[in-house]
C-alpha cells in the first residue's frame, strides 16, 4: 500500500451550467513533504464547508485501481486527483477498508471515518451528468480519514495498517446504507452506535431510525 500522489489546492471558481461555482475539487500533485494538521493539509481547502472538510473529513482518499475503469467510461485519460482526492492510493479498496481502521502514513496517524459520498461537482469536472450515480452504482467512492496524529506525508510514502476498526464495516457497505439504508433498521442501528463513524453520518442514520414509519 502506497501514496501514489499527494494532492492539495485551494478552492477556485469555475463555470457550472452558465453560473459561477466555487469548488475545491481541482487539486494538484504536491512536491515533497506536506504538513498534515487535524483538519487537513497545509495549502489545501474546500469551498463547501458544510459537506466537505472538518476533522472527520480531513483527508480524502481515492484508490488508483479505479482509474482504469473511469478512463474507459469517460473515454479520456485522467490525471491524479481526478476525484478531488488528497491521496491517490494503491491497495486501499472500499471493499476491504473498514470504518475505524487506523493507518500510519509518513509521520501521521489516520483513521477511516466515512465513505466519500459523490456530488454534482464530479459531473462539473468530468462532463457526464450521471457520474455521481455511476459512482454509487460501482461503489468506487473513495473515503475520508480523520487525523489522530499530525505529521508530514509525501508521494511514495508507504501506507501501514496499524489497527482494524471495531465491527469490520467496509466502506462500501456504509456507502450503500447512506444511499439505500432507510429501511435497514438493524444496519442503521449498528452504525449509529459505531463511535469511529463520522458524527455527521451517525446523526443521519439516527435520524432515519427515529423517523416515523411512512
Amino acid at each position: 500500500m502506497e501514496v501514489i500522489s499527494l494532492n492539495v489546492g485551494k478552492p477556485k471558481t469555475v463555470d457550472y451550467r452558465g453560473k459561477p461555482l466555487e469548488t475545491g475539487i481541482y487539486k494538484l500533485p504536491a512536491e515533497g513533504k506536506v504538513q498534515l494538521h487535524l483538519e487537513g493539509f497545509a495549502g489545501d481547502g474546500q469551498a463547501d464547508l458544510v459537506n466537505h472538510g472538518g476533522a472527520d473529513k480531513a483527508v480524502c482518499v481515492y484508490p488508483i485501481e479505479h482509474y482504469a475503469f473511469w478512463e474507459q467510461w469517460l473515454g479520456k485519460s485522467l490525471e491524479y486527483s481526478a476525484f478531488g482526492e488528497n491521496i491517490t492510493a494503491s491497495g486501499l479498496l472500499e471493499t476491504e477498508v473498514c470504518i475505524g481502521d487506523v493507518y500510519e502514513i509518513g509521520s501521521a496517524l489516520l483513521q477511516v471515518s466515512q465513505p466519500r459520498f459523490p456530488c454534482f461537482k464530479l459531473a462539473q469536472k468530468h462532463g457526464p451528468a450521471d457520474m455521481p450515480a455511476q459512482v454509487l452504482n460501482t461503489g468506487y467512492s473513495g473515503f475520508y480519514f480523520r487525523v489522530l496524529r499530525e505529521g508530514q506525508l509525501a508521494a511514495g510514502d508507504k501506507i501501514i495498517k496499524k489497527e482494524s476498526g471495531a465491527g469490520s464495516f467496509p466502506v462500501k457497505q456504509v456507502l450503500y446504507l447512506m444511499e439505500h439504508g432507510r429501511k435497514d433498521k438493524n444496519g442503521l442501528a449498528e452504525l449509529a452506535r459505531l463511535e469511529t463513524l463520522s458524527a455527521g453520518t451517525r446523526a443521519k442514520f439516527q435520524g432515519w431510525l427515529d423517523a416515523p414509519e411512512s
Side-chain angles (χ1 to χ4, degrees):
M1 299 182 289
E2 184 178 344
V3 177
I4 303 300
S5 181
L6 195 153
N7 316 294
V8 298
K10 293 293 189 180
K12 61 184 292 187
T13 302
V14 297
D15 178 78
Y16 181 64
R17 296 181 178 178
K19 296 181 179 179
L21 171 70
E22 190 174 15
T23 174
I25 200 171
Y26 290 89
K27 303 185 187 302
L28 295 171
E31 298 291 337
K33 294 183 180 295
V34 180
Q35 180 67 40
L36 176 61
H37 302 288
L38 291 178
E39 296 205 356
F41 285 103
D44 195 48
Q46 294 80 32
D48 177 4
L49 296 179
V50 174
N51 296 302
H52 301 283
D56 275 342
K57 292 182 280 188
V59 178
C60 184
V61 181
Y62 200 80
I64 188 66
E65 290 86 350
H66 300 331
Y67 268 56
F69 170 85
W70 292 114
E71 287 180 335
Q72 183 176 21
W73 191 76
L74 290 166
K76 66 178 182 179
S77 60
L78 296 174
E79 297 181 352
Y80 295 139
S81 196
F83 289 78
E85 72 270 18
N86 297 113
I87 295 176
T88 312
S90 65
L92 294 178
L93 298 177
E94 298 90 345
T95 51
E96 301 169 3
V97 171
C98 294
I99 303 300
D101 285 356
V102 176
Y103 295 88
E104 186 174 56
I105 311 176
S107 58
L109 195 67
L110 304 103
Q111 184 177 50
V112 180
S113 58
Q114 70 163 75
R116 188 265 186 88
F117 197 83
C119 73
F120 71 94
K121 292 176 183 177
L122 289 172
Q124 185 281 326
K125 185 172 184 179
H126 295 294
D130 62 340
M131 190 167 184
Q134 185 71 352
V135 169
L136 291 171
N137 289 339
T138 59
Y140 296 167
S141 64
F143 58 90
Y144 287 102
F145 279 135
R146 64 170 62 88
V147 179
L148 301 182
R149 183 181 71 222
E150 297 180 337
Q152 292 187 330
L153 287 72
D157 282 348
K158 299 301 181 185
I159 300 172
I160 303 167
K161 187 174 182 180
K162 306 296 286 186
E163 184 180 326
S164 294
S168 299
F169 293 101
V171 166
K172 188 172 182 179
Q173 178 183 347
V174 180
L175 178 72
Y176 181 84
L177 285 174
M178 291 171 79
E179 177 68 1
H180 303 290
R182 285 177 172 82
K183 295 183 179 180
D184 183 355
K185 299 300 185 182
N186 291 333
L188 291 175
E190 282 188 298
L191 286 166
R193 294 192 298 266
L194 186 63
E195 293 184 358
T196 52
L197 184 62
S198 67
T201 305
R202 291 176 66 196
K204 176 187 289 187
F205 289 170
Q206 188 62 53
W208 289 348
L209 283 169
D210 296 340
E213 296 286 347
S214 57

